[in-house]
Amino acid sequence: MVQHLKFYIDGAWVEPSQTKTRTVINPANEKPLNDIALGNADDVNKAVAAARRAFESFSQTTREERIALLTRIIEVYKTRAKDLGAAVSDEMGAPLAFAEKMQVGAGLGHIVATLGVLKDYAFEETIGNAEVVREPIGVVGMITPWNWPLNQIACKVAPALAAGCTMVLKPSEYTPSCALIFAEILHEAGVPAGVFNLINGMGPDVGTAMSEHPGIDMMSFTGSTRAGIDVAQRSAPTVKRVSQELGGKSPNIILDDADFQKAVSGGVAHVFLNSGQSCNAPTRMLVPQTRMDEVMAIAKAVADKTKAGDPRADDTQMGPVVNETQWHKIQGLIAKGIEEGATLVAGGPGRPEGYSAGYLVRPTIFGNVRNDMAIAREEVFGPVLVIIGYTDDEDAVRMANDTPYGLAGYVSGGDKDRVRAVARRLRAGNINLNGVPNERTAPFGGYKQSGNGREWGRFGLEEYLEIKAIAGFH
């Protein structure tokens, strides 16, 4: 049974220090799902104390011991896949099949990838007469979002365990159940007491206490740029390492020699994936101005065939967005796009036909958008695509980079050398060419206001390591 009203601290499910709760709402029907306990600074203090005690021994475990631990976690995770998928679907509105395959699969994939890195990673190397040793940084505070909850939990927890760190996790208050099940998985797999701790709560309470806590050596945060700035500012007085993956407004440049049917259709489908709630979604499609009408027609056909509805219905391709606040924000930006004079190609304000409840958004596309419009500047975080015309490659690159964000970019074209040349000029941390998906063992992270540090694979592991040089060792 999921322990919604308890926290996982020092290897046990414990009562919170206060009797304050929050109701989790099902975004598909706006009905209550469950109540969760909300923590405060006292709970954080207990969790940090447990993590610091556990660090003394866990930091000294061998590579082989950590390999065995991650292997057990993978085995137990697989047995709880259905439970995890149902929790994600109910709490964030993802279609059930998508939640089970993609959301749950993403979490498993990161644990498996981390295990592969751990088996071969060189924690020590000789440089001259010095031995350079990579050691766990200490106690890590982790704050994860609701949009890809298991993906973000796993790509922080797995490398932290592989490095020998201990940790305190505050998952999103909108998707707490999958995190609580994740804690049950770690417990069953035999993660030592105090190594992993979980506290549910709100950012201003638990998140602030973690960021400011002198017993936490590093903060790993995924979420909005606004909240990331707050975490960094609160972490500064204790000189923590801060690793952040923040917002995005990613450009998708379709060059004039691309397969337009494939590139445009794929780009639209990617934006609508997960109801547009992906920080790296290709939400600004840049196309030759002379082919704007052709692109809008292809994009409209995809939007018209995208079925938004009940996450538990077999034919649903796109569920609701996560909550009422997000729904109203998205509706406001759709209205702004119409007000600014962009061409409404598909979708628009309100819920899809036949729905009067739930936070469903119509799959929406705007054409003839200028890069200075609000819908081209602000991260909508919903199923809204803007199509912007460019005159030549230089113009496309200029507009692609004209954003405070730099998480991802996309380029499609027939000439591979030209595609690569454009990709190298984009100021973003992840670039995908001709529809190829991300490589899970390659680094993931952003430039500019999309964050700092990297996750995934070897680069993700190294975020949790300190470097020590021992001169005269040889």
Side-chain angles (χ1 to χ4, degrees), residues 347-414:
R351 295 178 173 86
E353 188 176 347
Y355 289 91
S356 59
Y359 306 125
L360 287 161
V361 176
R362 299 170 67 191
T364 297
I365 297 172
F366 285 101
N368 293 307
V369 174
R370 298 189 315 273
N371 206 43
D372 62 352
M373 290 181 176
I375 50 173
R377 307 299 298 176
E378 296 185 35
E379 185 178 32
V380 179
F381 226 61
V384 179
L385 170 69
V386 301
I387 306 174
I388 303 168
Y390 66 81
T391 55
D392 54 23
D393 290 7
E394 288 293 321
D395 191 35
V397 169
R398 178 189 62 77
M399 285 195 290
N401 289 332
D402 181 19
T403 171
Y405 297 112
L407 184 58
Y410 302 78
V411 187
S412 293

Side-chain angles (χ1 to χ4, degrees), residues 158-299:
L161 290 172
C165 294
T166 59
M167 64 215 75
V168 180
L169 168 67
K170 189 203 90 65
S172 170
E173 62 273 18
Y174 293 105
T175 53
S177 292
C178 61
L180 293 165
I181 296 169
F182 192 87
E184 294 176 355
I185 291 168
L186 298 194
H187 183 84
E188 185 178 340
V191 173
V195 170
F196 172 85
N197 305 274
L198 183 152
I199 301 171
N200 278 315
M202 308 299 288
D205 302 315
V206 175
T208 293
M210 290 167 63
S211 301
E212 294 177 346
H213 204 295
I216 289 181
D217 303 289
M218 171 184 172
M219 287 297 298
S220 179
F221 174 84
T222 301
S224 70
T225 297
R226 176 198 55 76
I229 291 169
D230 186 69
V231 168
Q233 289 174 332
R234 293 180 184 279
S235 297
T238 49
V239 199
K240 291 175 174 54
R241 179 180 300 175
V242 178
S243 180
Q244 300 176 321
E245 195 256 280
L246 308 174
K249 191 71 177 177
S250 302
N252 181 9
I253 298 176
I254 300 180
L255 300 173
D256 56 17
D257 63 345
D259 179 338
F260 270 60
Q261 185 65 44
K262 179 182 177 183
V264 174
S265 297
V268 174
H270 192 167
V271 170
F272 293 161
L273 186 75
N274 208 40
S275 302
Q277 299 170 127
S278 298
C279 46
N280 63 336
T283 50
R284 286 187 299 145
M285 183 178 286
L286 281 72
V287 304
Q289 183 64 52
T290 55
R291 301 183 70 172
M292 176 64 72
D293 290 345
E294 175 189 354
V295 170
M296 289 193 297
I298 296 171

